[in-house]
Amino acid sequence: MDKERAIQAAILVCNLVEPPFKPNYTEIARNHSTDEFTINRTTLSKRHRLKATSHQEYISEVSRALTDTQEEELVRCIKRYSARNIYPTTKMVQNFVEEICRFELSKN
């Protein structure tokens, strides 16, 4: 099991604790740690309370070219073209995105 899966499993255990009780993050983190890695109690607490995200989620958010609103506008634009039987190519979609976000996208 990798560290991210262990953290997710620990969060599931935290979710089983019903109010007014609070999860014992120290004990849960210790129980889900292995010889390969240790789950930090603070990390578990923040992730459970949605105050922090995984590194992968953070990188995904930071590297997004469009906000949710802009993404919805892109979908509407694609649907308008598709309704007229014009199915956008990858290059057309890239042009739509660059027009919406007002900067040139990298190849990736």
Side-chain angles (χ1 to χ4, degrees):
M1 179 183 287
D2 66 346
K3 188 170 186 173
E4 183 58 31
R5 285 187 184 188
I7 291 174
Q8 291 300 324
I11 290 171
L12 289 175
V13 172
C14 292
N15 289 336
L16 295 175
V17 179
E18 295 187 20
F21 303 105
K22 295 182 179 180
N24 183 337
Y25 295 114
T26 303
E27 184 178 325
I28 295 170
R30 188 180 311 119
N31 290 341
H32 285 81
S33 295
T34 67
D35 293 336
E36 297 172 26
F37 54 81
T38 302
I39 297 176
N40 185 291
R41 182 204 71 79
T42 305
T43 300
L44 177 60
S45 170
K46 287 180 179 178
R47 293 278 299 278
H48 176 246
R49 293 180 293 126
L50 304 176
K51 303 266 184 196
T53 60
S54 70
H55 181 71
Q56 186 176 4
E57 290 170 336
Y58 171 77
I59 294 300
S60 177
E61 283 295 316
V62 169
S63 63
R64 286 181 62 183
L66 299 176
T67 64
D68 289 339
T69 306
Q70 290 171 323
E71 202 170 288
E72 290 168 6
E73 174 59 30
L74 175 63
V75 170
R76 283 192 296 273
C77 182
I78 292 170
K79 285 181 177 179
R80 278 195 308 269
Y81 276 89
S82 297
R84 292 186 274 163
N85 293 325
I86 302 171
Y87 301 101
T89 63
T90 304
K91 185 62 178 169
M92 289 173 69
V93 172
Q94 182 179 352
N95 289 338
F96 297 155
V97 171
E98 288 176 352
E99 188 175 310
I100 291 170
C101 64
R102 293 189 170 87
F103 62 84
E104 192 172 318
L105 297 174
S106 67
K107 185 175 181 177
N108 294 331

